Amino acid sequence: LPLCRYITRLAPQVNVPDESGYGALMQACSQRGLDARIISLILSVPGVSVTQLTPHEANTPLHYFCQYYSEVCMRIHPSAQA
C-alpha cells in the first residue's frame, strides 16, 4: 500500500528522467522480474509517457517490457513470437 501511494504521487515527476535517462515507467519496465502490477500502477499515473526514449539506446518502455516480460506479451497477443 505505501508503494501505491508513492506511485500515485509521482504524477508531476513521472516522466522526469533519472541520471541514466530513464523515467519511472522505463525504470520499471527495464527491471527483470519486477511485479507487473507495479508497471500497471505507473501506467495509471496521469501523463505518463509510454513513448519516452532512452537517450543512448532509442528504446521505449515497451521494448524493455516485451524483452523481459515475453510471457505476458504472449498472453496478450498469442501469435507474437518471443
Side-chain angles (χ1 to χ4, degrees), residues 3-4 6-7 10 14 24 30 52 54 56 60-61 64 74 77 79-80:
L3 180 61
C4 295
Y6 171 74
I7 289 172
L10 274 176
V14 72
S30 65
Q52 185 176 27
T54 56
H56 52 285
T60 67
Y64 289 109
M74 291 300 291
H77 198 290
S79 66

Side-chain angles (χ1 to χ4, degrees), residues 22-80:
Y22 286 33
L25 182 60
M26 181 73 78
Q27 190 65 253
C29 288
S30 65
Q31 301 298 313
R32 284 184 198 266
L34 184 71
D35 189 326
R37 292 177 293 182
I38 294 173
I39 294 169
S40 182
L41 282 170
I42 295 171
L43 284 169
S44 72
V45 174
V48 67
S49 173
V50 297
T51 58
Q52 185 176 27
L53 297 174
T54 56
H56 52 285
E57 297 170 341
N59 287 330
T60 67
L62 182 61
H63 288 107
Y64 289 109
F65 182 82
C66 289
Q67 180 179 0
Y68 297 143
Y69 297 90
S70 60
E71 72 283 351
V72 175
C73 291
M74 291 300 291
R75 284 195 306 256
I76 293 168
H77 198 290
S79 66

